[in-house]
Structure formats: structure tokens, C-alpha cells
């Protein structure tokens, strides 16, 4: 049985993990490689690394880090943040990343999705969608780290990028992100039902029950969280045993 | 041991190299006809699209060489599919080493088949130390149906070939280089064959 995936997300700045991670049993939790190895041992199914720096110089450092991660961990990982060209992607894939995640660049230039899928295959092209609900607009897509509202309705945009060749959608609800009140069930279900590719739900995880809900009721294929795991509020082995007990297929 | 990874710019080559490195094994990356021919063992990785991968192989004359190899050979993911006869992906003629078709998943389930799924019906030394139901990582939209050459299967939702063996040609649809300790064991088993 194909299992639901649990994905910790690590934000990277200047080659270091950020968000004030607290770990006693890791020598250096600021070291993305150490932390990634630890998550792999804990049973994380994949990892996502987001480069939250911006300049070209820093991106070069990031590619070196990607190589270092690929050298040391034996589970798949996706990298994202500031990717805007086919050449950017080539560097990251050659460094050993399994997938890349693109967001604003796909909104600026949807053709990029098609170019990447044709060049590298859909399986390594994840389109990240930041979405926000207001009563006036419904669920809209936001660009530039959630700062700029676009014209795109979320479900339509998801369909469009999949038609262009996206192999996976990483859907983050800005309404839910950071609330720990649960994933955005409605929009996750709507996107998951609208597209043929896997959907990763992101934003709002606060408890084990939230994961069960997003898998069972919103039909997410994977669920991503950051601080919840980093601050050890939820341990992956505990989470997976809970999910298994509640009838969700997970790898344990 | 002279281990060569076929490098034809088709992705995941680096990951396979790193996985071998973690096993303490040095491999040579090469697309050179003579280097590959002289290898003790050959690993043939691949991700991406079938017709462009075939074009890359043809550009290096590897479509002529690979079918003639006698040493233990291990195709991974797209590298497994390319060993077959014909793929529905881009209506592509493949290397024709293993007389099997490659088909697109026709299912209500999500495609690509992406994530960790279970190995079943294991029947090869390649799976020494691997238990029925152990998990490996998949990401693919095309598959090889069950056949006489199937040495492991996985279901999505119907069973398909997780791994094949035909003479000296071994192949896996999943990614051993990304499948944690189980994947490492499978790579090690290939090296021990």
C-alpha cells in the first residue's frame, strides 16, 4: 500500500537551519545535515529545504549544501526558494536534490513549469502554492512569500500548473499557517480532488489528530510541518503510530 | 571491484554515487563505451522522460553497447524501463533487452505513484535480508506489468513489477538510493552478486 508521507520542512539561511530549533541530542541542530539525518532516522518520509536567503551568491552556497545533504541522507528531499530558471534547477538536481519546488516564478512565468517538466520530468517538479481565503475573494493564490495577491483562484491555478507538467502540489494555507489549529481541510480537499497528482498539505498542524483529518477527510497525500517537529511538540514515531492506529497507512 | 555508473545526463546519477559512497564503495561515472564494457559491474540509473533518455543513449552509442554486456547490470527506475522493449511514454522504442512493455498507470489513484510502498513476492538474492512488506521509495508514472522476469512486486492498486531479472540484467523500479536502510541493503546485495 502506498503510504501517506510525513514531511518536516527546514528553513535555511546562510547554510544554517533557522526557527530556533531545540534539540538536546543533536550536536548541532543548526547544521541542516545533522538535523536531516536525525529526521531520516526518526522516520520522516521526505524532507523539504527552503532557502530563505535571496542573493545569487547565497544561492551558490545553498547548492553546496544540497550536495552535502544528498551525500549524507538516504531519503528523498525537495529544495525550494528563489528558483526562477531552468539553469537554477539543473544546478540543484545535479547536486543531488530529488525534486525542486517553485512558487512565485511559476506565477510570473507559467511556461517555466512546462520547460522544467520537459527537461527533467514531471516527477521532480513540485509547484508550491500559497493560498489565502477572504470572504470577498474566496481562496486566492499569493505570490512573493505570500505578500502579493494574484488574480488566480487556487483550484484553477492548481489545475493549470498540473496541465503544464507539475508532478506534485505543495499547498500552504496562509490562514492556517502558524495557528496550530489544523490544516485547511476545505481547500486541501478541493485541490486534491481537482488534480491527478499528489498534494502536500501545509500550514496549521498542531496535533496528531490534525494529520489524521487532513489525510482521511481532505485526501492529502502528504503533510508538511516545521516548528511542530523542530520544537519536539510532536515526535514523528508517535505521530505515525497514532495514524496507523487510526487506519491511516504510514511507513513504520 | 571496478564498478561503473552509466552517466548519460539523465539525473539521479549523483544520488546513486552517494549511496554507494555510504556503503564504502567507490564507483566511476562514465558514458565511455570502453570503460563501461570493461567494468566488473554496471549500474544504470535514470529519472526523467523515456524518449529524451533514449536520445542521450543513442548520442553516445550506448544503445548498441548496453544490450551486449555480460557482467552483472542493475537498472534503476527509468534505467529499468529503458531495458524493456517499448514505452507508452512518448511512444518510445527502448533498448529491447528485456522483452516487456512499459505502460502508463491507468488508475483513479494519484499519478505519479510517489512515496513509500511495499515490496512483495520477493524471489531473488537481490532481496537478501529484505522482508516481505518492507518499504521502498517510488516516483514514477509508467510501470512494467508482472512477467516471468518479475522478482518482486508492488501494488498500485494492481500489482506491477517492482524488480526484474533477465540473465545478467537486474532492475528496480523503486529508488534503492533513496530508500533508507532497505535500499542500501539492496544495493549491497547487488554488489555481492
Amino acid at each position: 500500500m502506498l503510504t501517506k508521507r510525513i514531511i518536516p520542512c527546514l528553513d535555511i539561511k546562510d547554510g544554517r537551519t533557522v526557527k530556533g530549533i531545540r534539540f538536546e541530542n543533536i550536536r548541532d541542530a543548526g547544521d541542516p545535515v545533522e538535523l536531516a539525518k536525525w529526521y531520516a532516522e526518526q522516520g520522516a518520509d521526505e524532507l523539504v529545504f527552503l532557502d530563505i536567503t535571496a542573493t545569487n551568491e547565497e544561492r551558490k552556497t545553498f547548492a553546496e549544501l544540497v550536495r552535502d545533504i544528498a551525500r549524507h541522507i538516504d531519503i528523498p528531499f525537495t529544495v525550494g526558494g528563489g528558483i526562477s530558471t531552468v539553469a537554477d534547477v539543473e544546478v540543484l538536481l545535479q547536486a543531488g536534490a530529488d525534486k525542486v519546488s517553485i512558487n512565485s516564478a511559476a506565477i510570473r512565468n507559467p511556461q517555466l513549469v512546462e520547460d522544467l517538466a520537459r527537461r527533467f520530468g514531471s516527477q521532480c517538479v513540485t509547484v508550491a502554492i500559497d493560498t489565502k481565503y477572504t470572504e470577498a475573494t474566496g481562496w486566492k493564490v499569493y505570490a512573493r512569500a505570500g505578500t502579493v495577491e494574484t488574480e488566480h483562484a487556487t483550484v484553477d491555478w492548481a489545475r493549470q500548473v498540473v496541465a503544464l507538467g507539475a508532478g506534485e502540489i505543495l499547498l500552504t494555507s496562509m490562514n492556517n499557517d502558524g495557528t496550530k489549529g489544523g490544516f485547511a481541510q476545505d481547500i486541501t480537499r478541493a485541490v486534491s480532488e481537482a488534480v491527478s497528482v499528489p498534494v502536500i498539505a501545509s500550514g496549521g498542524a498542531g496535533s496528531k489528530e490534525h494529520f489524521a483529518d487532513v489525510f482521511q477527510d481532505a485526501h492529502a497525500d502528504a503533510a508538511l510541518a516545521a516548528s511542530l517537529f523542530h520544537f519536539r511538540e510532536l515526535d514523528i514515531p508517535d505521530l505515525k503510530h497514532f495514524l496507523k492506529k487510526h487506519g491511516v497507512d504510514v511507513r513504520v | 571491484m571496478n564498478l561503473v555508473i552509466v552517466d548519460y545526463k539523465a539525473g539521479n546519477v549523483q544520488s546513486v554515487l552517494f549511496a554507494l559512497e555510504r556503503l564504502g564503495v567507490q564507483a566511476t561515472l562514465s558514458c565511455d563505451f570502453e570503460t563501461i564494457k570493461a567494468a566488473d559491474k554496471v549500474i544504470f540509473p535514470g529519472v526523467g522522460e523515456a524518449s529524451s533518455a533514449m536520445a542521450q543513449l543513442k548520442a553516445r552509442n550506448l544503445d548498441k553497447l548496453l544490450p551486449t554486456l555480460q557482467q552483472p547490470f542493475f537498472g534503476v527506475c527509468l534505467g529499468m524501463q529503458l531495458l524493456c522493449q517499448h514505452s507508452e511514454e512518448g511512444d518510445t522504442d527502448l533498448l529491447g533487452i528485456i522483452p516487456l512493455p512499459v505502460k502508463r498507470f491507468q488508475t483513479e489513484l494519484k499519478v505519479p505513484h510517489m512515496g513509500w510502498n511495499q515490496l512483495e513476492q520477493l524471489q531473488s538474492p537481490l532481496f537478501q535480508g529484505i522482508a516481505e512488506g518492507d518499504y521502498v521509495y517510488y516516483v514514477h508514472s509508467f510501470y512494467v506489468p508482472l512477467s516471468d522476469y518479475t522478482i518482486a512486486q508492488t501494488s498500485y492498486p494492481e500489482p506491477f513489477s517492482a524488480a526484474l531479472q533477465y540473465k545478467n540484467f537486474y532492475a528496480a523500479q523503486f529508488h534503492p538510493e533513496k530508500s533508507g536502510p532497505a535500499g542500501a541493503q539492496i544495493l549491497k546485495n547487488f554488489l555481492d552478486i
Side-chain angles (χ1 to χ4, degrees):
Chain A
M1 191 70 117
L2 180 66
T3 51
K4 303 289 190 182
R5 290 172 278 149
I6 302 294
I7 308 178
C9 177
L10 288 73
D11 286 350
I12 307 292
K13 191 166 194 250
D14 303 328
R16 306 276 296 170
T17 49
V18 293
K19 281 201 179 173
I21 295 163
R22 290 199 305 241
F23 286 96
E24 300 87 7
N25 49 352
I26 295 184
R27 270 183 294 140
D28 178 6
D31 176 355
V33 175
E34 285 288 318
L35 192 56
K37 278 163 75 173
W38 186 80
Y39 274 127
E41 284 160 18
Q42 287 281 299
D45 296 302
E46 287 183 24
L47 296 168
V48 170
F49 297 87
L50 281 185
D51 181 15
I52 60 170
T53 50
T55 68
N56 286 332
E57 192 52 39
E58 286 163 334
R59 203 160 297 132
K60 212 174 288 167
T61 316
F62 187 59
E64 282 160 25
L65 174 63
V66 167
R67 203 176 158 76
D68 212 21
I69 294 164
R71 191 185 290 276
H72 289 99
I73 72 164
D74 56 6
I75 61 170
F77 66 97
T78 303
V79 297
I83 295 169
S84 53
T85 65
V86 170
D88 290 343
V89 171
E90 180 149 35
V91 167
L92 295 168
L93 293 179
Q94 279 186 356
D98 298 284
K99 299 184 258 184
V100 294
S101 147
I102 57 170
N103 190 336
S104 299
I107 296 167
R108 261 195 323 272
N109 172 24
Q111 178 66 34
L112 177 65
V113 178
E114 194 172 349
D115 292 345
L116 292 176
R118 187 168 303 150
R119 175 84 169 75
F120 306 108
S122 288
Q123 83 292 330
C124 68
V125 183
T126 299
V127 172
I129 301 177
D130 292 334
T131 183
K132 186 161 114 183
Y133 178 85
T134 67
E135 273 195 25
T137 61
W139 287 101
K140 282 281 186 170
V141 177
Y142 281 65
R144 304 180 67 90
T147 57
V148 180
E149 184 185 334
T150 72
E151 57 184 4
H152 299 291
T154 300
V155 171
D156 293 344
W157 176 240
R159 278 205 187 96
Q160 193 181 333
V161 295
V162 169
L164 287 168
E168 186 175 53
I169 301 286
L170 166 54
L171 182 70
T172 303
S173 163
M174 295 163 56
N175 300 71
N176 299 60
D177 205 17
T179 64
K180 299 195 175 165
F183 293 95
Q185 294 284 112
D186 292 357
I187 190 63
T188 303
R189 186 187 307 108
V191 169
S192 188
E193 285 173 359
V195 299
S196 56
V197 303
V199 173
I200 306 171
S202 158
S207 72
K208 298 174 202 173
E209 288 78 5
H210 294 155
F211 286 86
D213 289 346
V214 83
F215 290 137
Q216 290 180 315
D217 301 330
H219 307 154
D221 301 283
L224 176 144
S227 56
L228 191 67
F229 295 135
H230 299 329
F231 289 102
R232 303 289 301 273
E233 289 167 38
L234 201 50
D235 269 328
I236 292 174
D238 287 350
L239 171 61
K240 285 192 155 183
H241 281 108
F242 173 87
L243 290 171
K244 196 178 166 79
K245 208 172 87 189
H246 287 79
V248 178
D249 285 309
V250 287
R251 177 180 66 113
V252 288
Chain B
M1 181 176 46
N2 174 14
L3 178 66
V4 173
I5 301 175
V6 182
D7 183 10
Y8 59 109
K9 307 295 170 221
N12 84 334
V13 169
Q14 200 60 50
S15 304
V16 172
L17 190 69
F18 285 149
L20 293 165
E21 219 177 85
R22 290 192 293 270
L23 291 171
V25 178
Q26 292 300 320
T28 307
L29 288 181
S30 178
C31 62
D32 175 62
F33 198 100
E34 292 305 326
T35 306
I36 296 169
K37 202 173 164 184
D40 296 322
K41 287 195 169 80
V42 177
I43 297 183
F44 182 44
V47 293
E49 197 271 330
S51 65
S52 41
M54 279 305 295
Q56 293 284 355
L57 291 174
K58 284 179 181 166
R60 294 167 174 77
N61 246 342
L62 295 177
D63 60 317
K64 304 283 191 303
L65 172 69
L66 299 185
T68 68
L69 294 178
Q70 304 290 321
Q71 60 271 64
F73 185 102
F74 192 19
V76 172
C77 194
L78 183 64
M80 160 166 148
Q81 297 182 1
L82 293 173
L83 299 178
C84 296
Q85 201 70 43
H86 182 271
S87 177
E88 290 182 2
E89 186 173 27
D91 191 17
T92 306
D93 282 331
L94 306 172
L95 293 169
I97 297 168
I98 310 180
L100 295 173
V102 180
K103 295 172 171 291
R104 188 168 213 284
F105 281 116
Q106 301 289 345
T107 167
E108 292 298 299
L109 301 178
K110 297 296 178 74
V111 177
H113 171 224
M114 186 187 286
W116 298 79
N117 202 333
Q118 291 170 293
L119 291 173
E120 284 154 12
Q121 307 284 326
L122 305 171
Q123 18 178 332
S124 166
L126 196 60
F127 299 110
Q128 185 81 41
I130 303 295
E132 291 281 326
D134 275 358
Y135 288 97
V136 289
Y137 187 82
Y138 283 95
V139 48
H140 62 128
S141 301
F142 294 79
Y143 72 97
V144 178
L146 296 183
S147 74
D148 290 348
Y149 314 117
T150 301
I151 53 172
Q153 65 183 53
T154 291
S155 297
Y156 192 68
E158 300 301 320
F160 66 88
S161 293
L164 299 171
Q165 186 198 343
Y166 181 84
K167 299 177 183 166
N168 55 314
F169 291 91
Y170 294 81
Q173 178 61 68
F174 56 89
H175 287 275
E177 77 280 13
K178 288 286 168 177
S179 293
Q185 181 66 45
I186 292 166
L187 280 174
K188 188 172 175 301
N189 290 342
F190 172 71
L191 299 178
D192 290 342
I193 281 170

